[in-house]
Amino acid sequence: MSLASLESNSLSHETGVEAHYFFPWWINPLWGSSVFVALLVAAGSLFDAESYVLWGVPKYVTVDLTLTAAISGAGFLLGITLALLRRTPGRWQSVRIGPHTIRACSKLATSAFWLSLGGYGFWAVFALAQGASVDHVSAILDFREGSVGALKRVSAPVAGFTTLTQFAAIAVSLRYFLMRLGFRENRYEVYLILTFSVARAFFLGERLALIEVAVPMILLTVIVSGVRREGPRNVLVRTLLPVLGVPALWSLFAVFEYSRSWLYYRAATDKTFVEYITDRLVGYYATAINNSSLYHLSVSGRPHDPVFSFTALWDSPVISQLLGHGTFAGIEIRQWWASALELNANPEFNNAGTFLVVDADLGTAFAFLFWLGFGAFIGLSYVNMKRGHIEWMLTYLVSFIGILELLRIIYWVQGRFVPTLIGLIVFGFAIARARRFDQRVG
């Protein structure tokens, strides 16, 4: 970095900086959510029984179940819509960010970075204690069949310790936000977390860990700029970026699925790698909808614990001691679900789904309110982000993944998101306090 850049950076820390935001149409949560809800409703007619044979499962989706799911989907969209009724600035805006807010964001980014790094350190220690070794890593690098699963079995996360890795999304979001504004210090935090996330995706088959840090960075690249207006070409690319979403998802899936399942199936199928990856990727989402139908048909109206609607609650180290493990028909519900998939579906596609799961757990009326609340939360995050509140931008960035996963899992109730949510509350309060201080002294 040149001396002039260093002086400019130091001056910005003392006087603040002007951030320029651009919000293309697809950043609005109503667009993406509407697409996924529409796909859910269409699933009953898009895939016939013969289509599900491709993934080794019977078809459980029916018109009635599709309409039931649509009620919850409508609740989610209504919640977003109600939040969006509040007036917000247009798609272009500039916001002055004061020096105290900048310093707070930088300090919090570093704090989140070290917390996440500590989580990875705990994970390494526990993995070694469980029997993980260099041989496991070498087997994966040599692309040996079943090597990823073998390492996962001896690298189980430990709640309360490895949970700290979920601060990675906050660390990357805050640090990359500052980088987009021209602040270059501590960039290594982003690069190091990306490295750990890629390793986690490759060695443990946990693609979501990489998506959790990549999606906020993509969104920030689109939204935040240090210059007032960019050229027409850049604006066009940012506006049409979703067109690249499907091939990007396919490519990411293909890279990490190669060692995860292709090493086994390449000897058991006559499909090409491209055909196999395409079928498997579609299968992850199609079977999630089908699985949720199976779940609904099995448990709706019967006494059971709503584990899949409040996953983090049942997985909490403290609360789980009070609630137990959650049961259905006298069996631990996750054990029952694994058996149900083994007997009636395909355990390789084990996502339980979303809307029908909550409907089966809570009933249609309460499921509608459940999704209405989540929709309002997402909508309010977006509205306040557009008003220039960094703490709400941070919330929206890390919550956006839940929209992308709307057909597969209820991301916002997972044990991996709740620690992030706690961090968002604590860090968001600190950012808001710094912002209010800058407004008073400015």
Side-chain angles (χ1 to χ4, degrees), residues 8 10 37-38 59 62 72 79 82 102 109 111 115 121 143 149-150 160 175 185 202 277 305 336 363 377 405:
S8 175
S10 176
V37 171
K59 180 182 177 181
T62 65
S72 290
L82 291 175
I102 293 171
S111 297
L115 285 170
F143 293 105
R175 182 59 62 193
E185 66 270 21
F202 181 74
I277 291 298
D305 293 313
W336 165 82
F377 167 73
E405 296 287 1

Side-chain angles (χ1 to χ4, degrees), residues 52-72:
Y52 282 98
V53 173
L54 178 66
W55 304 296
V57 298
K59 180 182 177 181
Y60 298 105
V61 181
T62 65
V63 173
D64 289 344
L65 288 175
T66 300
L67 293 175
T68 299
I71 294 173
S72 290

Side-chain angles (χ1 to χ4, degrees), residues 49-274:
E50 292 182 1
S51 299
Y52 282 98
V53 173
L54 178 66
W55 304 296
V57 298
K59 180 182 177 181
Y60 298 105
V61 181
T62 65
V63 173
D64 289 344
L65 288 175
T66 300
L67 293 175
T68 299
I71 294 173
S72 290
F76 185 66
L77 298 180
L78 178 61
I80 295 175
T81 302
L82 291 175
L84 295 182
L85 292 177
R86 302 177 67 182
R87 190 169 183 176
T88 59
R91 65 174 188 164
W92 290 97
Q93 66 164 304
S94 298
V95 177
R96 188 71 186 175
I97 302 177
H100 292 90
T101 305
I102 293 171
R103 284 194 288 271
C105 287
S106 184
K107 291 178 180 178
L108 292 170
T110 297
S111 297
F113 166 76
W114 285 111
L115 285 170
S116 63
L117 211 63
Y120 278 110
F122 282 125
W123 204 328
V125 170
F126 290 128
L128 290 172
Q130 294 175 65
S133 66
V134 175
D135 291 337
H136 288 97
V137 176
S138 298
I140 295 174
L141 293 174
D142 291 338
F143 293 105
R144 297 179 201 166
E145 181 184 319
S147 54
V148 172
L151 181 59
K152 287 187 70 171
R153 285 190 289 273
V154 294
S155 303
V158 179
F161 292 94
T162 58
T163 304
L164 294 174
T165 59
Q166 295 308 120
F167 281 87
I170 296 177
V172 166
S173 298
L174 282 174
R175 182 59 62 193
Y176 190 65
F177 170 73
L178 294 173
M179 289 170 62
R180 291 293 296 167
L181 296 179
F183 298 101
R184 302 302 181 188
E185 66 270 21
N186 296 340
R187 288 178 294 174
Y188 72 90
E189 295 173 0
V190 171
Y191 304 140
L192 194 55
I193 287 179
L194 279 175
T195 300
F196 278 109
S197 300
V198 170
R200 189 168 164 184
F202 181 74
F203 288 105
L204 297 176
E206 198 176 336
R207 288 180 291 262
L208 194 54
L210 177 57
I211 293 172
E212 284 171 333
V213 296
V215 167
M217 291 182 67
I218 293 170
L219 294 178
L220 283 168
T221 302
V222 171
I223 296 171
V224 182
S225 176
V227 297
R228 183 174 294 277
R229 293 282 179 111
E230 295 191 6
R233 181 179 299 177
N234 287 340
V235 172
L236 181 63
V237 170
R238 290 155 74 180
T239 301
L240 300 179
L241 192 62
V243 176
L244 304 176
V246 173
L249 174 62
W250 189 95
S251 300
L252 178 68
F253 186 81
V255 167
F256 294 107
E257 197 67 20
Y258 182 89
S259 58
R260 191 180 188 186
S261 66
W262 173 249
L263 292 178
Y264 170 79
Y265 279 105
R266 64 183 177 181
T269 181
D270 56 359
K271 296 178 182 178
T272 65
F273 179 68
V274 172

